[in-house]
Amino acid sequence: MIETTGEEYSAENAPQLTPELAIANLQSSDLSLRYYAAWWLGHYQINQPEAIDKLIAALEDEDDRTELGGYPLRRNAARSLGKLGDLKAVPGLIKCLECDDFYVREAAAQSLAMLGDKSAITSLIKLLDGGVARAVQIPGRPHLTQPYEAVLEALGAIGATEAISLIEPFLQHPIPRVECAANRAMYQLTQDSTYGEKLVKWLAEGDIKLRRVVLGDLGAIGYLAAAKAIAQAQAENSFKLMSLKGLLEYQLGNDPENFSISPDAIQVMNLMDSLL
Amino acid sequence: MTELIQAVNLAQTPAQMVQAVQNLAAAKDPAAIPTLIKVFGYNNPGAAMAAVAGLIELGEQAVPQLLSQIDDYNYGARAYSIRSLAAIADPRALDIFISIVLTDFAPSVRRAAIKGLGNLQWQKLPASEQSTAINRAVETLLWICQDTDWSIRYAAVVGLQAMAKIPEVRSPILSKFQEMLTNDTEKAVRARVLMANN
């Protein structure tokens, strides 16, 4: 059984950096130091203006290239800018949606989802051009023509109701993960439980990797009706706890100072207790 | 019994394994204990859950072997051992729970030990040892309320809620809860504290 919330080892294996050193390393002559610093700043939430500015600059890096023409530093910079929550990064990330490197586009879409800024909607929609017919595997590569999962999720997270008619066809996409992303977005944009129930169905029928993805989806959309199905899913408790935490947070509302616990919230916590 | 144990060792498919373990557990015979513990390492969640249920059913008599056969190299297996011990709640598990809570790297195993720590049956200890044991458990739980992993802090609240029933340690627990309500960064953890306070 593999248990990865990604947090098992990370902090211990990292060379020691300080924010100052990491920011400086973004311009090191050693490309691997730049790459690591870009990740580090996001992981440790260093949202100092200087870090943000240099990460935004790193979105246009030309030095760090892979054999296939990818941009590793841009990918990490894009990922970190999402975690740092500064809207100054939005224009640079929108530009990244047109990058040749699939993984830069994917990271940018994921980060734009976290930043939640509506100015990204038009550019995200553009990546759905050609609809499901164009959403096919690129021969010889492990990914589709565009990062559809990330784009659909971003449109849902940002609340792009104008994209509903473009998202809907992806409910029929043959790849379950893409179909799930479309259901997740449709639920967020319509609050129609049909889409939530589709995710619950995949939670029961998917393989272990898909079940983990769906647990994340259900947590992200706070679909309360799935609480028991989540607790009973055939997956590691760490994933189920994360998912139920998402449901719980929806029940608690948005005011960080003032919240009360409803019977629904208590029901979710009782399920979480049973998974400890 | 030999046949039931043999069936577990000979199972060819995951489903056969689950069935064989269920049959062995149903016998409720202490001779099944080593085999049931061994099943934790087979990477078959259905069989492992059946083995956990069987060991819990056997209760106290399974504790010594559960304690001595914890798998240090497989955290999946270790989590099942700790969950069994936590459900049996025999206070002989105190030392192993504390050590796991403080030093294990796997959150799933730590959470199980934390919950277990709060629910041990203290009255089974000799009267002279009770208050020392209770204090060690409470100190451990109070300490990990500052862990960086929210799920560990959440589990700590669950453990402390159970221990707050003991009058001698109630007051430090309630003041820790008060502190967490103000300071904890995770809404989910603060909500769990509210629930514990109710």
Side-chain angles (χ1 to χ4, degrees):
Chain A
M1 187 203 291
I2 296 165
E3 175 180 76
T4 47
T5 52
E7 302 293 335
E8 297 278 23
Y9 297 103
S10 50
E12 287 72 22
N13 292 351
Q16 286 307 303
L17 280 183
T18 61
E20 296 69 34
L21 194 53
I23 292 167
N25 279 357
L26 282 178
Q27 288 165 316
S28 166
S29 55
D30 181 340
L31 293 178
S32 65
L33 285 184
R34 286 195 212 178
Y35 180 76
Y36 181 72
W39 171 83
W40 192 91
L41 290 166
H43 183 76
Y44 291 100
Q45 305 274 311
I46 312 299
N47 50 2
Q48 299 170 12
E50 213 192 338
I52 306 282
D53 290 342
K54 289 218 170 126
L55 285 169
I56 291 173
L59 294 176
E60 309 203 11
D61 171 80
E62 288 290 353
D63 297 337
D64 192 5
R65 307 295 302 270
T66 68
E67 319 78 81
L68 291 168
Y71 294 92
L73 178 61
R74 291 192 194 186
R75 296 172 192 168
N76 267 2
R79 289 178 191 124
S80 284
L81 284 164
K83 292 179 191 150
L84 295 179
D86 192 323
L87 294 182
K88 238 193 326 183
V90 170
L93 289 170
I94 289 176
K95 225 169 127 195
C96 283
L97 294 176
E98 293 170 15
C99 183
D100 295 337
D101 180 355
F102 171 92
Y103 297 104
V104 172
R105 299 198 299 280
E106 181 179 57
Q110 287 166 342
S111 287
L112 287 165
M114 289 189 235
L115 296 176
D117 194 81
K118 288 197 181 286
S119 67
I121 293 175
T122 317
S123 305
L124 285 164
I125 286 178
K126 215 178 280 169
L127 295 190
L128 300 182
D129 272 356
V132 177
R134 255 208 85 208
V136 294
Q137 190 102 15
I138 295 193
R141 303 295 293 271
H143 57 70
L144 305 181
T145 44
Q146 295 293 353
Y148 292 98
E149 268 180 83
V151 171
L152 294 167
E153 287 178 17
L155 289 167
I158 298 176
T161 43
E162 61 264 55
I164 288 179
S165 62
L166 297 168
I167 295 170
E168 207 172 8
F170 283 87
L171 296 167
Q172 312 298 330
H173 196 280
I175 296 176
R177 292 175 72 137
V178 178
E179 191 209 305
C180 285
N183 275 293
R184 166 175 164 161
M186 288 300 285
Y187 179 80
Q188 284 178 309
L189 298 174
T190 65
Q191 297 293 307
D192 180 338
S193 63
T194 316
Y195 305 113
E197 290 306 319
K198 252 330 213 320
L199 291 170
V200 173
K201 187 191 106 168
W202 276 115
L203 189 57
E205 295 174 7
D207 64 12
I208 179 67
K209 282 189 178 165
L210 187 67
R211 291 200 292 273
R212 291 180 188 142
V213 171
V214 173
L215 285 170
D217 290 338
L218 290 166
I221 65 175
Y223 185 59
L224 183 66
K228 284 210 182 83
I230 292 169
Q232 288 162 5
Q234 295 289 321
E236 299 85 345
N237 284 357
S238 293
F239 286 91
K240 297 199 258 185
L241 280 170
M242 272 308 291
S243 185
L244 288 170
K245 177 174 180 255
L247 266 55
L248 175 60
E249 284 169 349
Y250 262 81
Q251 291 308 307
L252 298 173
N254 285 325
D255 184 350
E257 298 304 324
N258 226 330
F259 62 85
S260 59
I261 45 174
S262 63
D264 284 338
I266 289 173
Q267 183 218 341
V268 174
M269 287 191 277
N270 282 328
L271 290 169
M272 290 170 76
D273 288 8
S274 74
L275 296 168
L276 297 175
Chain B
M1 274 310 290
T2 322
E3 272 173 40
L4 289 171
I5 290 171
Q6 201 62 351
V8 173
N9 293 329
L10 294 176
Q12 299 285 323
T13 66
Q16 275 175 17
M17 170 71 77
V18 174
Q19 190 59 56
V21 174
Q22 281 171 347
N23 294 343
L24 179 60
K28 298 184 189 173
D29 187 324
I33 293 171
T35 309
L36 292 173
I37 294 175
K38 215 161 58 181
V39 169
F40 294 162
Y42 291 172
N43 194 20
N44 180 329
M49 291 309 295
V52 168
L55 288 160
I56 294 172
E57 185 79 32
L58 287 162
E60 270 179 48
Q61 49 189 338
V63 170
Q65 292 181 75
L66 275 166
L67 287 173
S68 64
Q69 285 164 47
I70 286 175
D71 189 337
D72 290 330
Y73 300 97
N74 177 341
Y75 63 81
R78 203 154 68 242
Y80 290 120
S81 286
I82 299 303
R83 289 205 180 101
S84 308
L85 286 165
I88 297 169
D90 187 303
R92 283 175 287 176
L94 176 68
D95 284 333
I96 205 103
F97 282 176
I98 290 180
S99 136
I100 280 179
V101 169
L102 296 179
T103 64
D104 206 288
F105 79 89
S108 57
V109 185
R110 293 181 73 203
R111 288 189 300 261
I114 291 166
K115 190 181 180 190
L117 202 48
N119 285 297
L120 292 175
Q121 295 172 350
W122 308 105
Q123 72 280 6
K124 287 192 176 162
L125 285 172
S128 60
E129 290 173 26
Q130 280 183 20
S131 76
T132 314
I134 288 169
N135 280 319
R136 287 179 63 212
V138 169
E139 271 170 34
T140 307
L141 291 173
L142 290 172
W143 168 252
I144 50 149
C145 287
Q146 43 199 329
D147 199 278
T148 51
D149 179 340
W150 73 271
S151 72
I152 297 296
R153 303 199 301 279
Y154 183 101
V157 175
V158 173
L160 285 170
Q161 178 183 4
M163 297 208 73
K165 291 185 202 119
I166 306 170
E168 297 91 294
V169 291
R170 189 172 165 76
S171 139
I173 292 173
L174 293 187
S175 51
K176 176 58 83 178
F177 281 173
Q178 210 46 51
E179 184 194 319
M180 291 175 90
L181 270 183
T182 334
N183 294 336
D184 201 284
T185 49
E186 287 286 349
K187 213 157 52 164
V189 174
R190 298 204 302 276
R192 190 61 188 79
V193 174
L194 274 183
M195 183 167 142
N197 268 340
N198 279 347

